[in-house]
C-alpha cells in the first residue's frame, strides 16, 4: 500500500512563506510525476504545481513567481516553497503522485491533505 504524507502546513502571514513536504512510502516502483493540488471550501480542487521525474515543472498562473516546486527522485519526495503568501492561498493542499507499478500499471495516488491558512 502506497501512502503520501504531507507536512509543513499551518498558519502563515500574508507576504510570508511556508514550505510543504510530501513523502511517498510503501511499495513504490517508479514515480513519473508528483505535484500539489489545493481545494478551498466550496471550491473545486485545482492544480498548484507539478514536477516530472525529469525535472519539468508546471504552475498555476496565480502562483507563478511566488511558489517553487522541487523534488528528490531518490527520496521520493516533493516540496512546495510558498513565498509572498496571499489570503487566497488558503486551502487544503494535497500531494499527488503518478506512478508505474512493477507490473507496468499507471496509478494515481493522493495524500490526505494539509491545511494552509494565510492571515491578512
Amino acid at each position: 500500500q502506497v501512502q503520501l504524507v504531507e507536512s509543513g502546513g499551518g498558519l502563515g502571514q500574508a507576504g510570508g512563506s511556508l514550505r510543504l513536504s510530501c513523502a511517498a512510502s510503501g511499495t513504490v516502483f517508479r514515480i513519473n510525476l508528483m505535484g500539489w493540488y489545493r481545494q478551498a471550501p466550496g471550491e473545486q480542487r485545482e492544480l498548484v504545481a507539478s514536477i516530472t521525474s525529469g525535472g519539468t515543472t508546471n504552475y498555476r498562473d496565480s502562483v507563478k513567481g511566488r511558489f517553487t516546486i522541487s523534488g528528490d527522485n531518490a527520496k521520493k519526495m516533493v516540496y512546495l516553497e510558498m513565498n509572498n503568501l496571499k489570503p487566497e492561498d488558503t486551502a487544503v493542499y494535497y500531494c499527488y503522485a503518478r506512478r508505474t507499478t512493477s507490473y507496468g500499471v499507471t496509478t494515481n495516488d493522493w495524500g490526505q491533505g494539509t491545511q494552509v491558512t494565510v492571515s491578512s
Side-chain angles (χ1 to χ4, degrees):
Q1 183 68 40
V2 173
Q3 296 184 69
L4 300 178
V5 181
E6 303 101 334
S7 62
L11 178 64
Q13 300 295 121
S17 300
L18 286 173
R19 187 172 188 262
L20 305 183
S21 300
C22 175
S25 63
T27 304
V28 178
F29 182 70
R30 182 194 304 154
I31 295 177
N32 310 117
L33 176 147
M34 294 188 74
W36 294 93
Y37 285 72
R38 67 187 182 187
Q39 186 170 21
E43 302 293 332
Q44 296 291 107
R45 187 173 297 185
E46 62 185 26
L47 173 71
V48 179
S50 65
I51 184 169
T52 69
S53 60
T56 301
T57 58
N58 184 47
Y59 296 91
R60 165 171 288 273
D61 285 344
S62 62
V63 308
K64 288 181 178 178
R66 299 191 298 120
F67 292 7
T68 301
I69 189 170
S70 61
D72 187 321
N73 290 333
K75 295 181 178 179
K76 294 182 173 61
M77 296 190 69
V78 66
Y79 310 91
L80 185 68
E81 182 72 35
M82 303 184 292
N83 299 310
N84 192 23
L85 287 166
K86 301 177 179 180
E88 50 262 46
D89 295 321
T90 296
V92 177
Y93 283 69
Y94 296 90
C95 182
Y96 166 82
R98 183 191 305 151
R99 62 183 174 90
T100 301
T101 71
S102 60
Y103 296 96
V105 177
T106 299
T107 304
N108 300 316
D109 298 299
W110 294 90
Q112 68 288 128
T114 185
Q115 177 71 46
V116 171
T117 302
V118 182
S119 64
S120 59

